[in-house]
Amino acid sequence: LGSRKGFFWVRFADHDLRGGRSQGPPRKMGNSSTKSSDSSCYSGFGGKSRQDPRLHEQLQKQYETKMKAEGLNDAAIAAFQYNLGVLLSGASTMIPESAIGPVDSLPALEGLNVTPDPSLLKETVILKLNGGLGTGMGLDKAKSLLKVTNGFTFLELIAEQVDSMKKEYQTPDLRFMLMNSFSTSKDTLSALAKYPQLGTGSDLEFVQNKAPKVSAKDYTPASHEPDTSHEWCPPGHGDLYPAMLGSGTLDKLLEKGVKYMFVSNSDNLGATMDLKLLTYFAQSKAPFMMEVATRTDADKKGGHLAKDKITGGLLLRESAQCPEEDEKAFQDTTKYGFFNTNNLWVDLVALKAQFKKNDGALPLPVMKNSKTVDPRDKNSTKVLQLETAMGAAIECFEGATALVIPRSRFAPVKTTNDLFALRSDAYTLTKDF
């Protein structure tokens, strides 16, 4: 895969774009909504083959023009162009059982013999993903503004956690940031105004990018004249990386001497900054580390950690990336025993190096989500949303590792039932929040 004037060219016959490996003819693309395997190798767009490089160039140029007109930066455009290149190539996003093996054992947090080093906090940023509106819970504002316990919201508890750690370790320059969405930024900044010590403006937040929806019929940019906002969609939390690059956040942090980033979801209050974990990550010299938990039957339909048979490296396989014939193996928790908690540790120097190595676009696995351009109108134009997941970056870093954590570090709120559990006496609020 190479780049020329912002366009991405794909050699179809001998590359699987999911990992860039030579694996023979490309398999059909998977779909994150259904397990259908539609091929992109048919005619459209004026009768031209979708694997005609001239068609690819025309489509890439259309999307580049549209995204620039919307004010999106080069990093956002490069990330989308990479994803579109995968779609246009017809390369597979499925991860078959034949390509992977189980991860037999991993180190566990409880078994680490590490002396915590508070000095590392000066080189660390705590980052929370805060782009979700909680629409699945009937909300139209940031989920993190919900009250959880003792009158505190998610955001307030997170702010108190950071402030408590700053005081305990006398590290006032411990950095904290949010990745907001356009929908959550205003309300979030207003709510955190009473915590000026956390930072303000671009020192406190950067905003997630948006991506154009793709017409399912001919892969042209989707249009919806009644409401053009429906032409855009979130690109998935894998956008963390290009959003950091394009906003200037990555370079700004590196210039300030920040090397380590701990990132987690704002609705997971169990994901606190753990100095023992930070010290272990720094001492390991790993470029990327994922906190995983042991799978149970309740987790069998979710994604799992696996090992790439070719490279020996770690990767994630989500349910949308599993062929139907491998469903039984996918749900076998005795074979695939670990799942991603979305608590991640990233070496920012290594992240910057990956962007340079890959011409400004981290080659994350792409998932294709089938929708209608107006999600409330099932008769509107059928579209594809190209999405990536931030945990999938584990396969982009040579030497990436994983660590088993207790369930106490994984308490996300995805439903009202989860929220009621947090509000119950099953949880207590400690003095360090």
Side-chain angles (χ1 to χ4, degrees):
L1 181 69
S3 63
R4 179 184 174 214
K5 295 183 179 178
F7 303 124
F8 288 77
W9 302 94
V10 183
R11 186 173 296 171
F12 315 122
D14 58 358
H15 285 273
D16 176 351
L17 292 194
R18 182 185 60 80
R21 297 182 300 277
S22 176
Q23 293 187 7
R27 298 178 299 277
K28 296 177 181 180
M29 283 197 72
N31 187 302
S32 64
S33 291
T34 66
K35 290 296 182 69
S36 62
S37 54
D38 62 314
S39 171
S40 61
C41 305
Y42 60 87
S43 295
F45 198 70
K48 297 179 182 178
S49 168
R50 290 191 184 181
Q51 291 202 350
D52 181 347
R54 293 170 297 178
L55 169 60
H56 292 192
E57 183 172 350
Q58 292 176 46
L59 288 172
Q60 298 276 20
K61 186 63 178 177
Q62 287 182 30
Y63 282 103
E64 181 182 26
T65 300
K66 179 169 184 167
M67 295 180 78
K68 283 185 174 179
E70 194 69 13
L72 291 164
N73 57 55
D74 290 343
I77 294 172
F80 178 79
Q81 296 282 37
Y82 175 82
N83 297 345
L84 184 66
V86 174
L87 175 67
L88 294 175
S89 75
S92 175
T93 59
M94 290 296 190
I95 305 177
E97 193 68 15
S98 59
I100 60 174
V103 179
D104 296 323
S105 63
L106 289 169
L109 175 59
E110 290 100 328
L112 296 183
N113 184 19
V114 174
T115 301
D117 182 1
S119 68
L120 291 169
L121 292 172
K122 296 179 181 179
E123 303 174 67
T124 303
V125 60
I126 300 170
L127 193 145
K128 294 288 184 178
L129 300 188
N130 192 53
L133 290 177
T135 52
M137 297 170 64
L139 304 174
D140 59 3
K141 288 189 176 182
K143 187 199 301 183
S144 57
L145 296 177
L146 279 171
K147 290 191 182 298
V148 181
T149 186
N150 290 33
F152 289 101
T153 66
F154 285 96
L155 274 179
E156 289 168 340
L157 286 170
I158 291 167
E160 295 290 349
Q161 288 171 355
V162 174
D163 195 51
S164 174
M165 177 155 272
K166 285 182 176 183
K167 292 175 181 176
E168 180 179 357
Y169 295 102
Q170 298 181 350
T171 312
D173 51 355
L174 172 62
R175 292 167 177 84
F176 171 77
M177 294 196 77
L178 294 160
M179 183 173 81
N180 284 319
S181 66
F182 290 99
S183 301
T184 63
S185 177
K186 183 178 179 180
D187 290 338
T188 295
L189 294 181
S190 177
L192 289 179
K194 60 184 176 182
Y195 296 98
Q197 67 274 23
L198 287 181
T200 57
S202 62
D203 288 331
L204 178 61
E205 72 148 11
F206 59 95
V207 178
Q208 181 181 16
N209 295 308
K210 55 184 178 181
K213 295 178 182 179
V214 179
S215 171
K217 181 179 180 181
D218 55 14
Y219 292 175
T220 55
S223 62
H224 190 65
E225 292 184 5
D227 184 352
T228 56
S229 68
H230 288 315
E231 298 175 6
W232 302 88
C233 62
H237 47 59
D239 183 59
L240 165 69
Y241 310 110
M244 287 187 72
L245 180 67
S247 65
T249 300
L250 177 57
D251 288 335
K252 184 187 296 184
L253 289 170
L254 289 170
E255 288 168 4
K256 292 181 178 179
V258 177
K259 183 177 182 181
Y260 308 110
M261 176 173 70
F262 171 55
V263 56
S264 60
N265 295 332
S266 63
D267 68 355
N268 180 11
L269 292 173
T272 57
M273 167 57 70
D274 187 304
L275 196 51
K276 186 177 179 181
L277 268 169
L278 170 60
T279 305
Y280 173 76
F281 177 59
Q283 292 179 354
S284 74
K285 307 296 183 184
F288 185 100
M289 184 174 77
M290 175 183 292
E291 295 184 29
V292 299
T294 302
R295 288 174 99 202
T296 66
D297 281 344
D299 309 306
K300 67 181 182 181
K301 293 187 178 181
H304 64 76
L305 192 67
K307 186 174 290 187
D308 189 306
K309 284 186 176 179
I310 295 177
T311 68
L314 298 173
L315 58 80
L316 284 181
R317 180 168 68 165
E318 302 289 351
S319 59
Q321 297 169 306
C322 178
E324 287 184 5
E325 60 269 22
D326 294 333
E327 196 72 38
K328 184 176 180 180
F330 177 89
Q331 295 189 17
D332 186 349
T333 59
T334 62
K335 182 175 185 179
Y336 296 110
F338 306 106
F339 73 90
N340 171 31
T341 63
N342 240 22
N343 301 348
L344 306 176
W345 299 80
V346 184
D347 183 319
L348 296 182
V349 175
L351 177 60
K352 179 71 174 182
Q354 281 297 313
F355 275 118
K356 288 183 177 178
K357 177 182 177 182
N358 293 285
D359 296 323
L362 206 62
L364 294 171
V366 182
M367 291 181 284
K368 186 177 65 171
N369 201 351
S370 295
K371 300 282 187 178
T372 54
V373 67
D374 181 348
R376 295 167 298 183
D377 181 2
K378 300 307 177 185
N379 294 318
S380 61
T381 304
K382 290 181 171 57
V383 297
L384 304 174
Q385 296 181 188
L386 304 182
E387 302 173 1
T388 58
M390 69 175 185
I394 195 168
E395 69 177 71
C396 298
F397 293 89
E398 185 176 353
T401 61
L403 182 76
V404 182
I405 59 165
R407 287 273 178 154
S408 58
R409 286 187 60 80
F410 182 67
V413 173
K414 304 301 179 187
T415 66
T416 48
N417 283 346
D418 296 333
L419 180 62
F420 290 154
L422 267 185
R423 289 176 172 177
S424 74
D425 58 5
Y427 292 86
T428 57
L429 188 63
T430 60
K431 63 181 180 180
D432 59 355
F433 299 90

